[in-house]
Amino acid sequence: MKRVPGSRLEREAFMSSSSTPHPRNNALSAAQILEDDNDRKLHNLAPKIQSLRQISEQIEIQVRDSNRLLDDLDSGMGNVQNFLKNTIGMVGKLKDGASSKHLMYLVLFVVAVFLFLYYWLGRV
């Protein structure tokens, strides 16, 4: 079979110049035109499909990395939470076991250290 040109005007010119006006030949020509049109559209879709595949692979990599980061963050936060619970428990024991002066000195010492660091780092 002959290949039919791609543009609509070329197809109409081809159809009008056909030497066989038989309906079956026109149906075959129309089927060939549709098949050629589908082939052209399929050829145009191939790069788009490849691009979408690459994008989806990049999204998959990004999601995997994000999940790994979230898992690490979750385990780190769990460790910090346990550390803070233990520290608060120790401070509670210190409060209950020691005189109130010792606790006051501890609080004043911590505040003094934070103020010192605040002013020292503010100058740098």
Side-chain angles (χ1 to χ4, degrees):
M1 286 181 103
K2 290 194 282 184
R3 297 285 292 172
V4 178
S7 75
R8 192 179 115 238
L9 294 175
E10 291 173 340
R11 285 187 299 230
E12 288 175 0
F14 177 76
M15 298 276 289
S16 65
S17 68
S18 177
S19 63
T20 56
H22 194 273
R24 183 170 180 218
N25 288 338
N26 285 338
L28 286 177
S29 296
Q32 185 64 36
I33 290 171
L34 288 175
E35 187 173 336
D36 290 343
D37 190 41
N38 285 342
D39 288 342
R40 189 174 58 254
K41 287 179 181 178
L42 183 64
H43 180 71
N44 290 339
L45 279 178
K48 294 176 185 177
I49 291 171
Q50 182 64 27
S51 175
L52 285 174
R53 183 177 188 182
Q54 290 173 350
I55 290 171
S56 68
E57 288 172 353
Q58 291 172 354
I59 289 172
E60 180 185 3
I61 291 169
Q62 183 68 31
V63 166
R64 194 177 311 126
D65 290 344
S66 295
N67 283 338
R68 188 178 316 119
L69 180 64
L70 286 174
D71 289 341
D72 292 344
L73 185 63
D74 183 42
S75 94
M77 285 300 194
N79 292 339
V80 169
Q81 185 179 12
N82 289 336
F83 177 74
L84 287 176
K85 281 182 184 179
N86 291 336
T87 304
I88 290 173
M90 288 181 199
V91 169
K93 287 179 185 177
L94 179 66
K95 180 187 70 118
D96 292 340
S99 69
S100 61
K101 282 186 178 182
H102 290 195
L103 183 60
M104 185 179 70
Y105 291 141
L106 176 65
V107 169
L108 286 176
F109 175 74
V110 170
V111 169
V113 167
F114 279 121
L115 287 175
F116 173 75
L117 289 175
Y118 176 75
Y119 287 117
W120 184 60
L121 292 175
R123 291 183 184 199
V124 174

